[in-house]
Amino acid sequence: MTQALSLRGLFSYASNLLSQIPAALVDSTSAPLPPSDVQLYYPLSGAPSCPLDGPMSCHNSTPIADDSCCFVYPGGRMLLTQFWDQKTHAGGAETDWTLHGLWPDLCDGTYDQFCHMTPQFNNITAVLEHYGQDDLIEFMNRFWLAASGSNSRLWQHEFNKHATCINTLAPACYGELHTPGMEVVDYFTRASALFRMLDTYSALERAGIVPHSRRHYPLVDIQSALEKFSGGRVVLRCTGRRDVLHEAWYVYFVKGSLQSGEFVPAQELGREGNAGNCAPWVKYLPKMPREDEL
């Protein structure tokens, strides 16, 4: 994969990474990095085998055991969050939305953070390198970008704040074959695979919504285009006077574990679920060139 490749050119990989692959929590504040030698691990392959007829997160009719490895709980409403960055990033294109995170909200729209259901890691790049995930690192350095500071620092923040609240990533869910960092590979693999499926730029372009320096678009048209495209609810957030489109949050529930389960587009947002803040008419601004391009 070269850096010149557009996001649309990556979609052919999405179905492979998101195919379905046929329990206790851990209390730890930090995990040691794996040894420096490369250990091959096929992403998502270490997850437990889960029944096909299990309940969907936030939709169970009976209580779920706190140590379940086949039911995402309590943060069962998953948000795949994207940003429309102000500038074209190095190695990127003017059509790139970027990935910000995969967040486990509680079923009422609130959320926990830094939960320690899985250990924290302080060098995500080193962990991914240890498990031979060079292609994933290349993808993340193109599309999972920090607005300031290093990308690796952003990845560390996203994992430690959000992934540690996803119970099915607990080491105990991997059984005796678990080694530190498998959960890191799985979290970033699954988030990246979802992002590959969600080409926000193309979805808006097909609806006649393209970046423009002066034009305003009805928010309902943007919302409708993205929800028709994704099959589920989307939360939109804006900057400026709440009239500059900046974020799109795709909302899912999960049937099974985060690693091997089915991500089901949400048909409702639930109580306190809509964190959108945009005005009724918004601008979708073209990206500015980087300073080194001026």
Side-chain angles (χ1 to χ4, degrees), residues 221-234:
D221 288 356
I222 296 175
Q223 191 112 32
S224 176
L226 295 182
E227 292 185 347
K228 179 180 179 181
F229 158 67
S230 67
R233 299 302 306 273
V234 179

Side-chain angles (χ1 to χ4, degrees), residues 72-124:
V72 178
Y73 173 85
R77 196 182 78 122
M78 306 300 298
L79 305 178
L80 192 286
T81 57
Q82 299 187 17
F83 281 3
W84 179 247
D85 303 305
Q86 185 179 24
K87 295 182 179 180
T88 304
H89 54 270
E94 294 180 355
T95 59
D96 287 350
W97 282 68
T98 58
L99 174 56
H100 187 67
L102 179 62
W103 303 341
D105 274 18
L106 301 174
C107 299
D108 62 4
T110 62
Y111 62 92
D112 292 329
Q113 55 185 342
F114 301 104
C115 300
H116 308 307
M117 290 181 174
T118 187
Q120 295 187 15
F121 288 84
N122 297 322
N123 193 334
I124 298 300

Side-chain angles (χ1 to χ4, degrees), residues 23 48-51 54-55 64 67-73 167-168 173 254-258 260:
S49 177
C50 296
I64 299 293
D67 63 352
S68 173
C69 292
C70 290
F71 184 79
V72 178
Y73 173 85
N167 62 306
T168 70
C173 290
V254 185
K255 192 172 184 180
S257 69
L258 175 122
S260 62

Side-chain angles (χ1 to χ4, degrees), residues 4-270:
L5 190 62
S6 70
L7 178 57
R8 277 164 277 182
L10 295 167
F11 286 168
S12 60
Y13 297 97
S15 59
N16 291 332
L17 285 173
L18 281 177
S19 60
Q20 305 307 305
I21 303 173
L25 304 184
V26 62
D27 182 12
S28 176
T29 58
S30 184
L33 289 178
S36 58
D37 56 306
V38 174
Q39 176 178 331
L40 295 181
Y41 169 62
Y42 187 77
L44 311 179
S45 65
S49 177
C50 296
L52 297 178
D53 60 349
M56 188 164 58
S57 61
C58 297
H59 290 74
N60 55 303
S61 57
T62 58
I64 299 293
D66 288 342
D67 63 352
S68 173
C69 292
C70 290
F71 184 79
V72 178
Y73 173 85
R77 196 182 78 122
M78 306 300 298
L79 305 178
L80 192 286
T81 57
Q82 299 187 17
F83 281 3
W84 179 247
D85 303 305
Q86 185 179 24
K87 295 182 179 180
T88 304
H89 54 270
E94 294 180 355
T95 59
D96 287 350
W97 282 68
T98 58
L99 174 56
H100 187 67
L102 179 62
W103 303 341
D105 274 18
L106 301 174
C107 299
D108 62 4
T110 62
Y111 62 92
D112 292 329
Q113 55 185 342
F114 301 104
C115 300
H116 308 307
M117 290 181 174
T118 187
Q120 295 187 15
F121 288 84
N122 297 322
N123 193 334
I124 298 300
T125 301
V127 173
L128 295 176
E129 288 174 343
H130 168 75
Y131 285 105
Q133 300 302 310
D134 293 342
D135 288 345
L136 178 59
I137 294 170
E138 182 180 4
F139 175 86
M140 289 166 60
N141 274 320
R142 164 70 188 273
F143 291 109
W144 201 328
L145 303 177
S148 60
S150 69
N151 294 337
S152 187
R153 178 60 66 89
L154 170 64
W155 305 339
Q156 173 185 320
H157 172 80
E158 290 300 305
F159 186 88
N160 291 340
K161 180 176 180 179
H162 298 293
T164 59
C165 297
I166 301 173
N167 62 306
T168 70
L169 291 174
C173 290
Y174 290 83
E176 295 180 355
L177 297 180
H178 174 266
T179 55
M182 285 183 175
E183 54 275 90
V184 171
V185 175
D186 286 353
Y187 172 76
F188 287 103
T189 294
R190 202 75 207 259
S192 296
L194 280 173
F195 177 76
R196 285 180 167 116
M197 294 180 63
L198 298 168
D199 186 350
T200 301
Y201 187 92
S202 292
L204 293 177
E205 185 180 44
R206 285 194 293 269
I209 300 169
V210 294
H212 195 282
S213 59
R214 294 182 302 275
R215 185 173 178 181
H216 285 72
Y217 294 99
L219 184 68
V220 292
D221 288 356
I222 296 175
Q223 191 112 32
S224 176
L226 295 182
E227 292 185 347
K228 179 180 179 181
F229 158 67
S230 67
R233 299 302 306 273
V234 179
V235 175
L236 299 175
R237 292 186 60 82
C238 294
T239 58
R241 297 180 178 179
R242 300 189 298 113
D243 64 345
V244 178
L245 182 63
H246 180 57
E247 301 176 42
W249 301 357
Y250 293 88
V251 186
Y252 290 89
F253 299 107
V254 185
K255 192 172 184 180
S257 69
L258 175 122
Q259 297 96 310
S260 62
E262 177 187 1
F263 273 63
V264 180
Q267 301 305 308
E268 75 282 342
L269 293 173

